Amino acid sequence: MSQNGQKLIPDTLMLEDRARHVLNAIISIADDDHEGIPFFSANLMEKPAFMRHGDWDYGSSHGRMVDALVLARHMTGATDGLDVEERYRSNLLSFFKDDGLSYRQNNPKTNWEPNANMIDQRAVILALTSWYMSTGDRKVKEAADKHVAALKRIAVKERDVWYYPNSEYKYGGWPSANAVQLRLAPDPAAFCGRLVMPLLKYHELTGNGDALELCEFFSAMIVRRSGVFNPDGSFNDALAYRSGHFHTRIGTLDALARFGYYTHDASLIHFVKKSYDWALTWCTSFGWTPGDMHEQAYEHETCSLVDLIATGITLARSGYTEYWSVVERFLRNHLTESQLLDLSWVEDLDDKSQDDVGLKTYYRVAERTRGAFAGYSAPNDFCCDLPHGRGHTSDLQTCCIGSGTRGLFMGWSNTVTEENGTVSVNFLLNRGSQWLDVHSHLPHEGKVVLDVRKPLKRLLVRIPEWAGYAKVEVRRERGDAVRHQSGGEPSMWVKDRFLVLGEASEGERITVTFPLSHRQTVEKAMGQEFITKWRGDDVIHLSPEGVYHPFYNNRKVFDTAPMRAGDYRRLEREFYW
């Protein structure tokens, strides 16, 4: 489509555009007055708003930011803030000691104790894996190999399981030998389970055997011995298990699903599916998740939602294709709605006169956090300040900025996939690729246009379950030739919701249309009810409305999708997570 020589595309959700926005926050939260270390959290409700450092500033924040920068640049090709990125990368490498582990550092304004926190190690290997995947830098591989060897060396090894007996490792050994002897492993999901995800990818990328062993024995520990997940799939909500903390539980399910897919272990996939389905009953259909089952139950972390997205994708790739639609709802709604683009409601300062250098800043907080993702949000509000739970704590955390970027990437990289000559359109989102371009007119119209860029042996496109099948229509144009197909014809459907379009020719334009669903649901979140109006898979109104920065109710919809000048990013070589 073009007008006056300009290419036009639908002015609808494009994940690579959202990745450009998040780059601003990733780069701008660096603290130039404190060695370029990113601020960890932000309180946007205070007047003036401020950002603050935390003990997560080191391996965790730097790992998340390096990973996010790699993914966002792959999606966009943007080169903003390369100097900041270089500082993040050099800082990340500087946190290693000669034992191969990443250590938190001293901050003169606080009493944080330097240690190799086991949660941080997951972000570190995540970043090193993405970094090496994108550059092939040998020094990065050397650091990652040493890091993985250290993770293996310090694990307590029993006959059929490995684990870490403490949340922090001190240089030279675990703080308590007695903890090792008594098997006092804290929160196995947080410290061992989630590590499987980046370790498995690192093994796939490099063939590192230590990484695969860690995956094998950590997975066995989680499934067979840990008690993190109850027999019915529910989360163990005991205090020792962080009250059923959703981010670490679902992050562990993501890891187990990937390992089950890699090893062709159907029992492990079934284990994940049972628990994933239970977790969905605690979430809304549009993607709000509780923080845990008790103290943080009312606070949604973007991290948890991205874990749901990643796990759902692996389950869908494993044959449970119903999860493609679940994930698309999450992408269209709470992930992108949780991205901070309008900051007109935030008050900050134009100077650093009130800053506490090394700890806190009030300087241009709104401008610097534009593009970030919610740290703790309510179902209908960016800020969570409910009388339940902990009340208001903070609004942004660096971990959620990194996770949100990863969520965008997972949606973008799985919108169009190819396997054994079959190209599948899994999400009905705008996306360019080497095989075809997807022009999505949703939620305005039930219409998706596919421009085929090279000959395809077999083309599938997923149709939403609410569109039915009898009224799905296909118009195929190539030059002057036009032919029609209908979803009501026999042998047009596979995998329950995928429309079979068969062979497709280079230069062919395929327009798929279907009825658009208008419906209303009552969504429940921790005892609260929300009246939710849907147009297709998009929430267009939510009641009751939020107080501070309401979600959903400013979305504009039209009878015909608006168009804009633009184009998509297409890569001959893409990498996947």
Side-chain angles (χ1 to χ4, degrees):
M1 288 167 271
S2 62
Q3 179 178 305
N4 299 325
Q6 283 190 311
K7 187 178 179 68
L8 296 179
I9 61 174
D11 191 8
T12 56
L13 178 61
M14 198 152 86
L15 298 180
E16 61 204 69
D17 281 351
R18 295 306 191 102
R20 288 188 184 93
H21 285 300
V22 76
L23 274 169
N24 172 75
I26 295 170
I27 293 162
S28 301
I29 62 172
D31 185 353
D32 290 335
D33 298 321
H34 187 53
E35 301 175 356
I37 293 172
F39 287 97
F40 174 69
S41 63
N43 186 325
L44 304 179
M45 285 177 54
E46 286 294 315
K47 301 182 187 304
F50 62 83
M51 293 190 289
R52 186 182 179 91
H53 285 293
D55 55 349
W56 301 93
D57 282 355
Y58 304 102
S60 178
S61 289
H62 280 79
R64 297 277 199 163
M65 294 300 91
V66 170
D67 174 64
L69 282 162
V70 170
L71 301 184
R73 294 200 194 285
H74 188 69
M75 291 175 68
T76 65
T79 57
D80 322 43
L82 289 174
D83 56 331
V84 174
E85 180 174 8
E86 179 55 38
R87 190 153 29 159
Y88 284 161
R89 292 185 186 220
S90 61
N91 278 347
L92 179 65
L93 294 180
S94 75
F95 302 147
F96 283 107
K97 289 188 182 294
D98 58 9
D99 64 359
L101 296 174
S102 178
Y103 283 78
R104 296 185 176 189
Q105 307 295 301
N106 279 314
N107 181 315
K109 297 291 179 72
T110 70
N111 59 355
W112 304 327
E113 188 177 356
N115 63 77
N117 186 283
M118 300 316 298
I119 289 182
D120 295 0
Q121 309 309 309
R122 187 255 190 188
V124 170
I125 191 61
L126 188 78
L128 294 177
T129 302
S130 285
W131 186 352
Y132 182 65
M133 189 189 305
S134 64
T135 65
D137 189 329
R138 301 300 298 180
K139 80 171 184 295
V140 177
K141 184 178 184 298
E142 182 180 339
D145 285 341
K146 190 173 181 180
H147 186 234
V148 172
L151 292 173
K152 176 181 174 179
R153 185 184 67 251
I154 68 171
V156 176
K157 302 170 183 70
E158 298 195 353
R159 180 180 64 86
D160 58 346
V161 300
W162 294 357
Y163 61 90
Y164 296 134
N166 210 306
S167 57
E168 294 92 19
Y169 183 87
K170 300 291 286 185
Y171 186 67
W174 292 109
S176 170
N178 194 44
V180 175
Q181 295 165 1
L182 295 179
R183 300 177 174 179
L184 298 179
D187 193 7
F191 306 121
C192 304
R194 292 168 65 247
L195 258 170
V196 170
M197 187 274 273
L199 285 169
L200 178 61
K201 190 64 180 180
Y202 188 67
H203 167 73
E204 292 177 9
L205 190 63
T206 66
N208 183 290
D210 290 342
L212 186 61
E213 272 196 294
L214 284 159
C215 293
E216 185 75 52
F217 287 102
F218 282 167
S219 295
M221 187 270 296
I222 292 293
V223 173
R224 299 174 193 160
R225 303 287 292 277
S226 73
V228 172
F229 301 100
N230 296 317
D232 64 354
S234 61
F235 298 172
N236 188 330
D237 68 344
L239 187 61
Y241 291 89
R242 296 187 67 191
S243 303
H245 185 244
F246 265 60
H247 173 29
T248 49
R249 301 321 89 161
I250 305 171
T252 296
L253 292 179
D254 173 30
L256 294 175
R258 290 167 185 263
F259 190 61
Y261 184 83
Y262 178 77
T263 57
H264 309 289
D265 187 337
S267 67
L268 193 51
I269 295 293
H270 175 73
F271 178 95
V272 171
K273 183 182 186 304
K274 180 169 61 174
S275 196
Y276 188 80
D277 287 342
W278 178 87
L280 290 178
T281 66
W282 280 66
C283 308
T284 67
S285 295
F286 52 81
W288 180 88
T289 66
D292 66 16
M293 298 170 68
H294 292 288
E295 295 82 7
Q296 294 176 241
Y298 299 91
E299 305 163 10
H300 165 85
E301 292 182 72
T302 297
C303 293
S304 301
L305 175 54
V306 173
D307 296 332
L308 279 179
I309 288 169
T311 310
I313 287 171
T314 303
L315 289 173
R317 292 177 63 201
S318 300
Y320 296 105
T321 54
E322 63 269 26
Y323 294 113
W324 288 121
S325 62
V326 172
V327 173
E328 178 154 342
R329 285 199 306 273
F330 294 164
L331 293 168
R332 287 183 169 276
N333 294 295
H334 220 64
L335 178 64
T336 46
E337 193 71 6
S338 295
Q339 190 174 20
L340 189 61
L341 300 180
D342 171 21
L343 290 111
S344 58
W345 54 284
V346 176
E347 297 180 18
D348 57 14
L349 299 181
D350 282 333
D351 60 61
K352 298 182 178 181
S353 59
Q354 294 189 34
D355 283 10
D356 186 351
V357 175
L359 189 63
K360 195 173 185 181
T361 186
Y362 300 87
Y363 178 62
R364 295 186 176 177
V365 171
E367 175 189 326
R368 295 166 70 183
T369 57
R370 181 181 53 78
F373 289 87
Y376 294 131
S377 69
N380 60 348
D381 204 318
F382 192 93
C383 302
C384 183
D385 188 22
L386 300 175
H388 315 285
R390 303 188 300 175
H392 181 259
T393 53
S394 65
D395 304 303
L396 299 176
Q397 286 90 242
T398 301
C399 55
C400 289
I401 298 173
S403 281
T405 309
R406 177 162 278 274
L408 296 176
F409 176 81
M410 292 301 295
W412 180 82
S413 63
N414 285 279
T415 294
V416 180
T417 56
E418 186 275 337
E419 188 171 3
N420 299 324
T422 295
V423 172
S424 297
V425 178
N426 304 310
F427 301 131
L428 303 184
L429 299 167
N430 285 338
R431 173 72 156 93
S433 76
Q434 59 178 294
W435 303 288
L436 53 76
D437 293 344
V438 182
H439 309 282
S440 176
H441 292 244
L442 294 162
H444 310 284
E445 307 171 71
K447 176 179 173 181
V448 178
V449 179
L450 310 176
D451 283 333
V452 181
R453 299 180 61 81
K454 62 171 60 174
L456 305 178
K457 292 180 181 179
R458 189 168 185 249
L459 175 60
L460 307 179
V461 58
R462 187 185 62 82
I463 305 299
E465 68 275 5
W466 42 258
Y469 68 94
K471 294 187 177 182
V472 176
E473 299 292 337
V474 181
R475 177 184 171 90
R476 306 183 68 154
E477 304 168 74
R478 187 166 185 260
D480 295 330
V482 178
R483 64 186 176 106
H484 296 270
Q485 294 173 286
S486 168
E489 297 172 12
S491 306
M492 286 292 291
W493 299 90
V494 295
K495 301 180 181 179
D496 194 28
R497 295 310 315 165
F498 279 83
L499 185 67
V500 180
L501 298 177
E503 288 189 25
S505 304
E506 182 177 354
E508 186 176 4
R509 165 162 286 188
I510 304 173
T511 302
V512 183
T513 57
F514 42 82
L516 190 62
S517 169
H518 302 267
R519 64 196 186 280
Q520 182 170 292
T521 62
V522 178
E523 300 289 332
K524 294 184 178 180
M526 300 309 302
Q528 304 170 82
E529 292 189 348
F530 297 88
I531 308 301
T532 310
K533 292 184 179 179
W534 298 82
R535 187 177 174 106
D537 279 324
D538 286 69
V539 174
I540 58 172
H541 193 272
L542 196 62
S543 177
E545 186 169 302
V547 176
Y548 304 99
H549 184 55
F551 282 151
Y552 295 107
N553 293 353
N554 291 320
R555 292 185 163 192
K556 293 181 172 61
V557 290
F558 307 95
D559 292 334
T560 302
M563 306 295 286
R564 68 178 176 91
D567 202 357
Y568 309 115
R569 180 163 168 80
R570 305 176 191 88
L571 297 168
E572 283 300 314
R573 176 188 171 272
E574 294 188 21
F575 57 70
Y576 296 89
W577 259 94

